[in-house]
Structure formats: structure tokens, C-alpha cells
Amino acid sequence: DPDMAYISMVESGEILSNIITICTDDLLTKDEKEILEEIKDLKDGEKKYKYIKSKFRQISKRFVAGLMSTIDENFYNSKKGIHEKYLFQKDNIEIFLKGSYNLRSLYVHEGGSFGRNTMPTFPFLSDYISSHSTGHSPKMKKALDKAASFTGLEKIIQYSIFKNLVNLENSLGY
């Protein structure tokens, strides 16, 4: 089942991102940090600040930040028979990770199926979904247009696992 395979890959990324040490402040955008500082200065601001700050630490942000923390220059050197045009680039990979998490959320919360749209079709192997899907709700179409393909997501998860193993090995002194 393509839906479940994709969802399982996203859940693997969730698990990985939760074992990676990330400063929670790194999950906040510049604008979010500025808003929080303004709130802190209000009457009863510290309490409101802590409450709102906890809401900004969303699972989806942790998913993206955790996986992105393992991506380095070597990741982009892996071509695996894919035309350069269809590879993740430094300026688009976060968009596709966010899209993959959004696709998962739509599936879980709204029951929207995306079926074979995440599966690459030969000869158009791609790190991201390059199809123009039809027959989906506008939300699902938007998520599909900005999501990693199954093989692209698999590439990120595999790389993240290997980077975590190398980091663990280094921290143990091997």
C-alpha cells in the first residue's frame, strides 16, 4: 500500500528527529522570536511567553529541523541515476520535507489518500513529486506538489540514519 509505505517513512523521520539533539529555540523563526520577546514584556508576560513558545515547538518543525541537521554537502553529491533537474537542492529540500509532513498530516487527520502519486515512475525518477496530480482536493494537491517522493524521502531517512550512526560512533570514541 503506497499510502502506508509513505506514512511509515515519515514516521521513521519523526522518530529520528526526536533522538537528534536540537535547541528548541532553533525551531523558531526570527519573527516568532521577536513576537515572543514582545509578549515577555507584557503584564503577566512570562507565563504567556512560556505558553506560546511551547506552541511554536511543533512536531512538524522538529521533523524538518532534525532531519536537516543531518544533511551536509555530501548528501547533495548522491545522484543515483537521477537527472540533476529532479534532485533535492539546498534551496528546496526543506520545502519538500515540510510538504511530506503535511501530506502525512492530511492523510492522518482528513483521511485523504494520495496513492501512487508519491511513487516515482521510470524514467522520471525524482527526489520530489513531479506529477501533476488530478482528482484530489485542493489541500491534497498542494501538499503533493510540495512533497518529497517516496524514494526522495527514503534517501533523506537513510542518510540521516547513517549520519546518526557515525555521530554515535564518534561520541563513543571508535
Side-chain angles (χ1 to χ4, degrees), residues 78-79 82-89 127-128 155:
S78 173
K79 306 274 190 262
I82 300 174
H83 188 279
E84 187 103 11
K85 176 181 173 182
Y86 299 108
L87 290 169
F88 290 128
Q89 303 296 321
D127 283 346
Y128 52 89
K155 183 169 113 176

Side-chain angles (χ1 to χ4, degrees), residues 6-21:
Y6 195 86
I7 298 305
S8 295
M9 194 63 66
V10 173
E11 288 174 350
S12 298
E14 283 183 281
I15 293 166
L16 277 169
S17 65
N18 281 313
I19 63 170
I20 297 168
T21 305

Side-chain angles (χ1 to χ4, degrees), residues 78-89 96 116-131 147-155:
S78 173
K79 306 274 190 262
K80 289 190 180 181
I82 300 174
H83 188 279
E84 187 103 11
K85 176 181 173 182
Y86 299 108
L87 290 169
F88 290 128
Q89 303 296 321
F96 293 117
R116 303 197 69 63
N117 285 290
T118 59
M119 308 310 274
T121 55
F122 185 79
F124 302 106
L125 297 177
S126 176
D127 283 346
Y128 52 89
I129 298 171
S130 55
S131 69
S149 67
F150 180 83
T151 53
L153 190 56
E154 180 182 41
K155 183 169 113 176

Side-chain angles (χ1 to χ4, degrees), residues 36 45-56:
L36 285 172
E46 192 66 33
K47 184 178 173 183
K48 292 173 185 172
Y49 168 85
K50 287 179 183 177
Y51 173 77
I52 292 173
K53 187 173 181 179
S54 71
K55 297 298 179 193
F56 281 136

Side-chain angles (χ1 to χ4, degrees), residues 27-37 56 61:
L27 300 177
L28 303 174
T29 66
K30 181 183 172 202
D31 290 340
E32 290 168 341
K33 289 176 185 176
E34 287 174 7
I35 290 167
L36 285 172
E37 287 304 314
F56 281 136
K61 285 186 177 188

